[in-house]
Structure formats: structure tokens, C-alpha cells
Amino acid sequence: MNLFKLAFRNLKNIRQNMMYLGAVTFAILIYYTFLAIRSNEAMLQANELYGKLGTVFTGSSVILALFAAIFIWYSSDFFLRRRKQEIGLYALLGLERQQIAKLLFLETMGYGLIGLLIGVLLGTIASKYFVMLLAYVMGMSIEADFSINAGAIGQTVAVFLTIFLLIAIRSARTIYRFTLIELFKAKQQVETVPKVHPILAVLSVLLIGVGYYLTGKPLLEHFTIVAPILMLCVIIGTFGTMSYFTIFLLRLLSNRVRHYQGTNLILHGQLLSRVKSNAVMLSTITVITAVTLTTVGTATSIYYYIDRTVEEQMPYSLSISSKRDEAEALIRQSNQKIESRTMVNVKNVDHTLEELPNPLSFTTSYQTYAFDGEPGQFSYISYSDYEKLAKSSGKTVLPEPGTGEAIVLETFKGNDLIKETAQSPIGVSVKDTHSSFRITGATNLPLTQLYAKKRLAFAVSDDAFAMMPEKAAMLTNYQFSDERSDDGLINQLEQLYGKKAETDMAAYYPVYAMTTATTGLLAFAAGFLGLVFLLATGSIIYFKMLAEAEESKQRFAIIQKIGVDQQEQTGIIRRLVGFMFSLPYLLGLVHSLFAMQVLQKLLDYNLILPMSIAIGCYTLVYLLYYLLTVRAYRRIVM
């Protein structure tokens, strides 16, 4: 039998290597699907509107290619490791090293070609439905068809053939790195019990604790300096925890009475002998889990709060400052129905701020807020208009300010994390032609959406407003019956205002459409990459545990001979596999929760629900991998 026939016969034994072939096929499927989505005709049309699809998908495809290379490399290591005795048998039967190397090369390339064929085929089918899903989350209405893109196929084949070529060369060299005795004794390697380093164990946990502490006020006040230190502390602490603290904890457990109860003695011995060799893998998976949960949770949260985000930016369906009659004529001709119309007179005052308002806290993010004699522009409205605006917006109406008093209207919700507390008893001092106002109250009331979103406004008494020498401008805010759809009205309004469209009109729908498309695209990419990372990490633990199961056959045979029944053996396997799955998952989850806590403060949103959805989906898939690993492990050793 020649080498080609032998390689072909081994390739037909797909059942034995189904997980490896499945992992390879999945990596190719995801990569090709991303390329196919980017090249889809419908997405090319959408890219002309939003201009970000190509960038996001190109960046994501690069990340996928790198991660797929690492993932397939690790998977092939398991595939090769479990066949060392088979390779030794080939050598014992008289095959030369060069022939065995060629055989391994052919088999690796064979699995690669099979994976490419299946992955591209499934990717062609899946790409249509993923395009439809992407269009849905982006709020777009497009028709997606099945299409075969030669460029995407060519790029996928080129990338993965390169990966498989490198892996095949590496696999072929294995025969030259080991002697025949080493190949036959591959499953009989003895692992020593690792030493305990209490100081390093405690130091590792302290580093993670320092990282968690830095996520609070230090990070928010000095982000660029603290962020790298925080990440360094958490990553080093994670690797130290897996390498030292876990061993330290297991050795503490071995000194307790429960260590000698039931099968605990056997389990702890198994864990101690394995945890040191798996420390790097567990640490890497912990970091990937934290990054994945944080990324997916962030994207999910932002997408979940699209309406609220746009509402804060554009509180009205339409705001205009001129040509009201012409604009309303266009609105009446459209499908929109005016539910409410609010008109307010506004005076914009340029002045220098000499004192901070008292005793309120204002964020430094207000662009027009002037400090130390710097000029700034502020908007003023009368109390009558304020009362009308507050009622139409559903806000509580504050008491009318008296002579020399004013109400602050925070027209844009700024960053509440970075505040400067004002203690001035005087309030606002302006030019000689104006009075000084003492602040009596504040409310988050949108004055209009025409001005810069960080502009401050004040409501003063009707008499004080009338005495201001500036000319008042009439602003009109509309609420439509269906502001999330557009039948061409916005385009007609833009043509009406011409060059003044940017200053004299501001509509809700364009911002909503752009925000939905952008956040939907990011959520889709994050979810896609998160799924890949999840399946990759689950597969890595799966392959690692099965490799260890092959090496533990003799141990479980001895355990069975000393009287441990199958039910107790299954319990050992469940707890052993559960430890390897739960340790990186739980620590990564805690890391991500602290990261999401920072995001929650930055966005000022309640992220419990969207984050719970992301964690729940991740946990379900992770649990499925655990059950599959327990089942496969049990089949090997029992």
C-alpha cells in the first residue's frame, strides 16, 4: 500500500477526528462568511450610504484569520499528540522517517482541503441569512440573494492553505523530533506535583485586587495613565492566580479532613498533577473570556439603548428656526402627523463668566461653559416659555425665579463622572448690560436640538427676559406620530433650507438611522467575533481534556481495580472537567463585570438586562461544551 492510499484510508476515518475536522471547518466557515458578507451586492450598496461596513469587516476578518490560525494550530497539536503511538507503530513496521513525515503532511493537507470545501459551501449558504440578519440589526430594508464571490473564495483558500501548509510542515517534523521509545511512551509521561509558592500566590490575588480598585475613581480621573497599569495588573494577576494561587488553594484543601473523604483524594491528586501544565492555557482562556464578555456585553448594551441614546441627542422629531410656514406645508404633504408643536423665544447672549453657579455641580464637558474670564455663549428663555416647554416634555415645572434669580436648563446630559463642584454664592455675572443671576434650580430640559448639544441655557423671569437687549429668535419644536420612518420629508426639508439646513433645521430620523446602522453593525461584528472566541476557547479545553484523558487511561484502570465503581469515576470526571471549565469562566466573568461597571458609569445606563442576556448566551454554549467534554472523556477512560 503506497502513502497516498494509506493517507486516504486515514482520512476516511472521519468519525475518530470529527471534532478536529469540525473545528477546522467552522473556522473556515466564519472567515469566508465575513468576506462574503462584505462582498455581497446589498452590503456594497449599504456601504455607499454609511461608509463603515468595509472597514469593520476588513478589521474583523484580520482578527478572525489570526485567531483561526492559533486555534487550528492548537487543535492540530491535539490531533498529532493522540497519534504518537500510531506514528511509532509505522516506524516499527519499517516505514522510514521521511515516509512517515510525508504521510502526516498529506493527511494534514487532506483535512485542510476537506474543511475548505465544506466551509466555503456552508459559508455560501449562510452568508445570505447573515446578510439578512445584519440588515435587520442595522434597520435597513434590503434584498439578499445567494451569491458566489470568487474574490472571497480565493482569499479564503489562500489564507487557510498557508495555515495548513505551515501546520503540515510542523506535523511532518514531529517524526524527526522524537525517538521511537518516546513515541510509544507518549501516554505514560509522569507529571510531578508542583511546588507551592505562597508569596507569589498572595501577590497574584493582590494584583487583581489592585486592578479592580483602579477601575473606580482612579481610572475615571486619569484614564490614559491608569488604563495600561490596570490591564497589566489584571493580566499578570490572572496568570499568577492560575500558576500559583490555584496550586496553593489545592494544597490547602489537601490538608483538610474532607480531602480523605470519598474520591476527593483521587480528584485533588488529578488536579494538582494537571493544573501547572494547564496554567498558561487557563490564563489565556480567562483573558479571552473577559474580553469576549466585555465586548459582546458592551455592543449589546449600546444596541439595546439605541432609542435612549438618540432621544438624548435629538429630543424632538424636528426643530426649525425659520421658514415655519413652508416647512409645515411640506409636513402636511407627507405621511407624518404633527402630535405637538412648541414654540419658544430664545435670546443668545455672549458674555464672560466670572463666578461659578452655586451650589450646583457642572461637568467640564460643556463647550460653552466659560471659566476664568473666558467668553462663552448662553441661551436665555422666559419663564412662561420654560413652563410651556416643561409641560410639553413631561417635566416637573420648577417655581418661578424671582428678581436676580434663574433656573439652569441642562440641555444635554453630560458626563456625570467628571465634575467640578461650584461653591459660589453669587452665581452668574455677565456684561454690564445684564444682571447677575443667582441659581435657584436646575433641570434636564431640552431647549432645542439646533444648538451644540453641550450648550447651557437659563430660564429667567419674564421681566428680566424682556429687559435683555438681544433680539429673540423663534424656535419651533415638533413631535411626529412616527419619527422613526421617513417618506422623503427630510430630503425635502433639506432642499428647502439649502445651505442653512445645518443651522436652521435638525431632525430626529437621520440621527436615528445612522445610529441604528452604526451600532447594529458593531453589535453584529462583536457578536460574531464573540461566538468565534467562545467556540474556540471551548474547543481548546475540549481538546486539552481529551488529550489528558488518553494519558489517564491507566490511572482510571488502577482506580477501577481498587474498588471505585463507574458512578464514582463519573463523579471524578465531572468535577475534574468542571474545574477546568469553571475556573477560567468564573474569573473571566468577574473581570468583565468590573469592566462593565465602568461602562455603566460612563453611559449612565442600567446595563443589567443586556449584560445578563450576553452572559446567559455565553454560559449556555459553555455548558454545552462541558457536557460534551464529560461524555467524550468518560468514553475514553471507562
Side-chain angles (χ1 to χ4, degrees):
M1 181 180 294
N2 60 38
L3 293 179
F4 286 97
K5 288 184 178 180
L6 182 59
F8 181 72
R9 190 185 68 176
N10 289 340
L11 288 175
K12 289 196 301 182
N13 188 18
I14 292 180
R15 182 178 179 182
Q16 184 178 0
N17 300 300
M18 181 62 72
M19 283 298 295
Y20 172 69
L21 181 60
V24 168
T25 303
F26 176 76
I28 297 170
L29 164 66
I30 295 298
Y31 183 77
Y32 172 75
T33 300
F34 249 72
L35 295 181
I37 292 174
R38 185 186 65 182
S39 306
N40 188 278
E41 185 65 30
M43 287 296 105
L44 291 176
Q45 294 176 7
N47 191 45
E48 295 179 1
L49 294 175
Y50 302 108
K52 299 179 180 179
L53 292 173
T55 303
V56 172
F57 277 97
T58 300
S60 299
S61 62
V62 172
I63 296 174
L64 281 174
L66 293 174
F67 203 79
I70 298 171
F71 173 50
I72 295 176
W73 185 281
Y74 192 95
S75 302
S76 66
D77 183 66
F78 162 75
F79 176 65
L80 185 63
R81 190 174 175 182
R82 70 183 302 181
R83 299 189 62 201
K84 282 183 179 179
Q85 284 191 341
E86 180 186 340
I87 295 171
L89 182 61
Y90 289 146
L92 189 64
L93 292 175
L95 286 179
E96 298 179 359
R97 288 177 182 267
Q98 184 178 0
Q99 291 176 307
I100 299 175
K102 186 176 181 180
L103 176 65
L104 292 176
F105 181 88
L106 291 173
E107 289 182 9
T108 304
M109 292 302 295
Y111 275 114
L113 291 173
I114 294 173
L116 273 171
L117 180 62
I118 300 175
V120 170
L121 179 62
L122 294 178
T124 301
I125 298 173
S127 61
K128 172 187 175 180
Y129 300 101
F130 280 115
V131 167
M132 293 170 62
L133 176 61
L134 176 58
Y136 174 77
V137 297
M138 291 180 65
M140 299 166 51
S141 178
I142 60 176
E143 291 292 333
D145 298 321
F146 290 110
S147 61
I148 298 177
N149 187 277
I153 294 176
Q155 185 174 336
T156 303
V157 171
V159 169
F160 281 92
L161 277 184
T162 303
I163 294 173
F164 285 118
L165 183 61
L166 294 175
I167 292 174
I169 294 172
R170 175 233 191 182
S171 300
R173 290 184 57 196
T174 300
I175 189 63
Y176 295 100
R177 298 203 318 265
F178 297 99
T179 64
L180 185 61
I181 297 298
E182 288 174 332
L183 290 171
F184 273 109
K185 289 187 176 181
K187 298 181 182 180
Q188 301 176 13
Q189 297 174 0
V190 178
E191 297 185 13
T192 58
V193 176
K195 295 181 180 180
V196 179
H197 300 277
I199 296 177
L200 292 176
V202 175
L203 183 61
S204 300
V205 177
L206 287 177
L207 278 174
I208 294 179
V210 170
Y212 289 167
Y213 167 76
L214 293 177
T215 60
K217 190 174 180 181
L219 177 65
L220 302 174
E221 293 182 347
H222 309 284
F223 185 84
T224 55
I225 299 175
V226 175
I229 300 175
L230 185 157
M231 294 179 64
L232 197 62
C233 287
V234 172
I235 292 174
I236 294 176
T238 298
F239 276 83
T241 297
M242 295 300 178
S243 301
Y244 303 110
F245 183 76
T246 306
I247 297 171
F248 175 69
L249 186 62
L250 289 172
R251 290 300 292 270
L252 283 180
L253 292 175
S254 65
N255 295 328
R256 294 180 174 271
V257 177
R258 290 190 61 186
H259 173 67
Y260 302 96
Q261 295 177 357
T263 57
N264 289 340
L265 178 63
I266 301 172
L267 175 65
H268 294 165
Q270 285 275 70
L271 290 175
L272 275 171
S273 64
R274 299 294 187 185
V275 72
K276 185 66 176 179
S277 60
N278 292 326
V280 175
M281 178 199 74
L282 294 175
S283 303
T284 304
I285 291 176
T286 300
V287 174
I288 293 175
T289 299
V291 171
T292 302
L293 284 174
T294 302
T295 304
V296 175
T298 300
T300 304
S301 301
I302 294 175
Y303 186 75
Y304 185 82
Y305 284 108
I306 285 177
D307 293 343
R308 179 172 170 180
T309 302
V310 179
E311 188 70 26
E312 288 181 354
Q313 296 181 48
M314 310 298 287
Y316 303 104
S317 302
L318 177 67
S319 292
I320 58 175
S321 61
S322 63
K323 301 182 179 180
R324 187 170 67 86
D325 293 337
E326 296 94 323
E328 288 202 12
L330 292 176
I331 296 172
R332 285 193 295 269
Q333 295 172 10
S334 70
N335 294 330
Q336 294 289 1
K337 179 182 177 182
I338 300 176
E339 291 189 340
S340 66
R341 179 195 301 104
T342 307
M343 292 177 286
V344 293
N345 286 298
V346 180
K347 291 184 178 181
N348 297 318
V349 179
D350 294 307
H351 61 68
T352 299
L353 183 69
E354 296 178 357
E355 298 286 347
L356 292 177
N358 72 291
L360 307 173
S361 298
F362 289 96
T363 70
T364 58
S365 61
Y366 288 112
Q367 294 174 341
T368 57
Y369 199 81
F371 293 97
D372 299 327
E374 296 179 359
Q377 187 179 74
F378 297 78
S379 296
Y380 288 84
I381 64 172
S382 66
Y383 182 78
S384 299
D385 280 348
Y386 154 74
E387 189 175 20
K388 179 173 55 176
L389 196 63
K391 289 180 179 179
S392 66
S393 301
K395 301 286 185 179
T396 301
V397 179
L398 299 178
E400 182 176 2
T403 304
E405 296 179 339
I407 299 171
V408 175
L409 309 180
E410 296 186 62
T411 58
F412 180 79
K413 190 171 181 58
N415 186 350
D416 292 334
L417 299 173
I418 308 174
K419 288 188 175 183
E420 290 195 9
T421 304
Q423 301 294 338
S424 167
I426 301 174
V428 180
S429 293
V430 294
K431 290 180 180 179
D432 294 337
T433 54
H434 298 86
S435 302
S436 295
F437 298 102
R438 189 178 189 280
I439 307 304
T440 60
T443 179
N444 179 22
L445 179 65
L447 180 64
T448 182
Q449 55 200 29
L450 287 170
Y451 299 148
K453 299 304 180 294
K454 297 177 181 180
R455 176 192 294 261
L456 282 180
F458 300 91
V460 296
S461 65
D462 293 0
D463 292 338
F465 183 80
M467 292 176 62
M468 288 183 176
E470 285 78 14
K471 183 179 179 180
M474 174 67 75
L475 303 180
T476 308
N477 299 315
Y478 296 93
Q479 288 292 2
F480 295 154
S481 57
D482 186 14
E483 60 187 3
R484 296 181 185 175
S485 65
D486 177 46
D487 59 350
L489 173 63
I490 303 302
N491 185 48
Q492 293 176 355
L493 289 171
E494 289 176 348
Q495 292 179 2
L496 171 66
Y497 287 99
K499 294 181 179 180
K500 291 187 175 182
E502 293 185 2
T503 58
D504 285 11
M505 67 160 284
Y508 174 93
Y509 178 77
V511 177
Y512 174 78
M514 179 61 74
T515 304
T516 302
T518 303
T519 55
L521 175 61
L522 294 176
F524 179 85
F528 222 91
L529 292 175
L531 177 62
V532 173
F533 293 164
L534 168 58
L535 296 178
T537 53
S539 297
I540 287 173
I541 299 178
Y542 175 89
F543 290 134
K544 184 68 175 178
M545 294 307 299
L546 293 198
E548 293 185 358
E550 295 283 351
E551 298 170 2
S552 300
K553 281 184 178 180
Q554 190 174 0
R555 295 185 184 184
F556 275 86
I558 296 173
I559 290 173
Q560 189 172 5
K561 289 178 181 179
I562 63 175
V564 179
D565 59 30
Q566 288 193 353
Q567 184 176 356
E568 290 175 318
Q569 291 181 59
T570 301
I572 294 174
I573 294 171
R574 286 174 179 169
R575 288 187 287 169
L576 177 64
V577 175
F579 180 86
M580 303 301 287
F581 270 92
S582 62
L583 188 60
Y585 169 74
L586 292 176
L587 187 56
L589 175 61
V590 175
H591 289 348
S592 67
L593 290 177
F594 273 89
M596 293 303 293
Q597 186 179 12
V598 176
L599 179 66
Q600 182 165 276
K601 292 178 181 178
L602 290 171
L603 297 178
D604 194 26
Y605 292 162
N606 185 347
L607 304 183
I608 294 177
L609 180 58
M611 190 64 186
S612 298
I613 295 173
I615 293 174
C617 295
Y618 194 97
T619 304
L620 285 176
V621 179
Y622 212 68
L623 182 61
L624 179 61
Y625 262 105
Y626 163 74
L627 296 175
L628 289 174
T629 306
V630 169
R631 181 182 177 186
Y633 197 111
R634 190 174 181 275
R635 273 205 314 264
I636 292 174
V637 301
M638 294 176 61

